[in-house]
C-alpha cells in the first residue's frame, strides 16, 4: 500500500469536524503556513504562548501555552489531524509527545539534528556534502587544542542560534577565549572564517513516500547576520554550481529521511567551491519569493507534505527579488511614521507581505516585499527603486 493512501483531504473529516492542520509556533512562517492551509480549505490550529503571535492572530484555533505544556500539547493533538513546526527550536521532546498521538512532520529526529550545529555537521559528513572546517568546544581543554588553521573563525553556540545571534567573530586565541566566556561557556563550534563569494540556498519538499521536489537555487545577501535580499532568476548563479547545490540539498534531505519542507544554506567560496552552511527544518525566509513567483509556494508544499497530498515539481514563472522589511524601516521621518507603502505599491509587480507585528524594532522581521516581472533586469530595476523608497541599502 502506498504511504500516500490516506491523505488528509480538506473539508470535513468523517466525524463532521473541519479537517484541521496544526503548527507548533506562531511566528511569520506559521502565519504563512496558516494562510496556505486555509486557502485550500483546511482549518488551522497554532500553539504559541504569545497572544499576539502573527499566526495565532489569523488561525481558527490558538492554544496559548508554552511548547512543553502537556495540556497544551494534548489540546493541539486533539484538534489537529496532523502537526508541523515553524521554527527549529521547538523542543524535540514536544514533537515526540505529539508524534505518539498524531502525524508530525518533520519528525523529531530530523529537527533534533537541525537544532544542534555539531549533529548537523556530522550529518553533512555522512551525506558527503562538504562544510566549513570546525572544532567542537565543550571544555577549556577543547579550546586549548583548537588548530591554528581554524583562526580567524566564528564561534557559534551549538544550539539556539538564529539571525546571527549567538555568534562571535574571533581573530586569535585570546579573542576566542574571551568570546567563549561571553557566551557563557556553553557548548560551541568554532568554524573557520571562509572567504565567501556569495551565499545561496535550496528548498526541497519530501513526502512520506520519498518523492522529492525542489525550488530553484536562491541567491541570498545577508547584512549583519540577517537575510536582506534574495534574488532568483535564470543565471543568478553559474549553472554547474546551481546543479551541485540542488544535488547537495537533496542528499541532505534524503539522508535525514526527511518529510516536509527543508532549506539548505550554502556558501560559494572565492575559489568557486561550494560548502554547506546549515539547514532549517521548515520553510525559510529565502523562499518567500515563491509566494508570487512560483506556481506553488513553499507553504503550499508544507501543507501538501503534512497532509500526504501529491507533490509536483514547482515551476518558477517570474524572475523575482525579495526584500526583507526589518523594523529599522519604521519611524524613519517621525517616531510614528510608516514606510511609504503607497509609493512602493505603485511600482509594477510589487507584492507586500506584512506579518501583523505591532512593535517595530531594529532587526525585527516585520514583513517582506516580493518583486516579480518579465525579465531579471526589469525586476532588479523595480526592486532597487523599491529599496530606495523604503530606505533599504542598494544591492
Ligand atoms: P540563520 O539561522 O538566521 O540563517 P544563523 O544565526 O544560524 O542564521 P549562520 O547561518 O550560521 O547563522 O551565519 C550567519 C551568516 O554569517 C551567514 O549567512 C554568513 O554570512 C556568515 N557566516 C557564517 N559562518 C561563516 C563562515 N564560516 N565563514 C564566513 N562567513 C560565515
Ligand atoms: Mg543561516
Amino acid at each position: 500500500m502506498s504511504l500516500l493512501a490516506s491523505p488528509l483531504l480538506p473539508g470535513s473529516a468523517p466525524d463532521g469536524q473541519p479537517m484541521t492542520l496544526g503548527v507548533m509556533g506562531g511566528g511569520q512562517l506559521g502565519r504563512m503556513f496558516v494562510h496556505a492551509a486555509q486557502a485550500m480549505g483546511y482549518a488551522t490550529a497554532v500553539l504559541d504562548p504569545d497572544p499576539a503571535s502573527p499566526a495565532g492572530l489569523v488561525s481558527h484555533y490558538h492554544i496559548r501555552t508554552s511548547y512543553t505544556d502537556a495540556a497544551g500539547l494534548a489540546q493541539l493533538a486533539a484538534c489537529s489531524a496532523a502537526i508541523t513546526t515553524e521554527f527549529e527550536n521547538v523542543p524535540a521532546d514536544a514533537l515526540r509527545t505529539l508524534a505518539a498521538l498524531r502525524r508530525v512532520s518533520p519528525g523529531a529526529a530530523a529537527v533534533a539534528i537541525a537544532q544542534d550545529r555539531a549533529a548537523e555537521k556530522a550529518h553533512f559528513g555522512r551525506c558527503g556534502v562538504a562544510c566549513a572546517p570546525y572544532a567542537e568546544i565543550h571544555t577549556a581543554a577543547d579550546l586549548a587544542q583548537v588548530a591554528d588553521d581554524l583562526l580567524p573563525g566564528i564561534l557559534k553556540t551549538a544550539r539556539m542560534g538564529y539571525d546571527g545571534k549567538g555568534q562571535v567573530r574571533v581573530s586569535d586565541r585570546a579573542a576566542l577565549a574571551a568570546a567563549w566566556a561571553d557566551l557563557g561557556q556553553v557548548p560551541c563550534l568554532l568554524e573557520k572564517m571562509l572567504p565567501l563569494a556569495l551565499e545561496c540556498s535550496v528548498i526541497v519538499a519530501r513526502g512520506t513516500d520519498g518523492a522529492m521536489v525542489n525550488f530553484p537555487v536562491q541567491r541570498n545577501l545577508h547584512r549583519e547576520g540577517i537575510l536582506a535580499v534574495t534574488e532568483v532568476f535564470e543565471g543568478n548563479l553559474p549553472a554547474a554550481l546551481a546543479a551541485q547545490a540542488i544535488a547537495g540539498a537533496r542528499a541532505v534531505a534524503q539522508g535525514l529521511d526527511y518529510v516536509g519542507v527543508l532549506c539548505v544554506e550554502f556558501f560559494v567560496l572565492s575559489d568557486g567551491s561550494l560548502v554547506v552552511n546549515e539547514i532549517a527544518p521548515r520553510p525559510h525566509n529565502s523562499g518567500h519569493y515563491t509566494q508570487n513567483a512560483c506556481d506553488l509556494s513553499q507553504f503550499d508544499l508544507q501543507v501538501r507534505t503534512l497532509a500526504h497530498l501529491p507533490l509536483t515539481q514547482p515551476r518558477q514563472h517570474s524572475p523575482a527579488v525579495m526584500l526583507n522589511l526589518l523594523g529599522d524601516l519604521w519611524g524613519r521621518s517621525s517616531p510614528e511614521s510608516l514606510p511609504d507603502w503607497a509609493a512602493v505599491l505603485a511600482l509594477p509587480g510589487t507584492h507586500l507581505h506584512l506579518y501583523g507585528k505591532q512593535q517595530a524594532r531594529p532587526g525585527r522581521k516585520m514583513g517582506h516585499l516580493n518583486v516579480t516581472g518579465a525579465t531579471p533586469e526589469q525586476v532588479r530595476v523595480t526592486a532597487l527603486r523599491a529599496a530606495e523608497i523604503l530606505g533599504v541599502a542598494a544591492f
Side-chain angles (χ1 to χ4, degrees), residues 117 156 162-164 167 199 222 225 265 267 277-278 284:
R117 290 188 192 276
K156 303 182 177 182
Y162 71 99
D163 288 348
Q167 298 197 7
E199 298 188 57
H222 291 80
E265 295 181 40
F267 299 141
N277 173 24
E278 61 172 355
H284 192 258

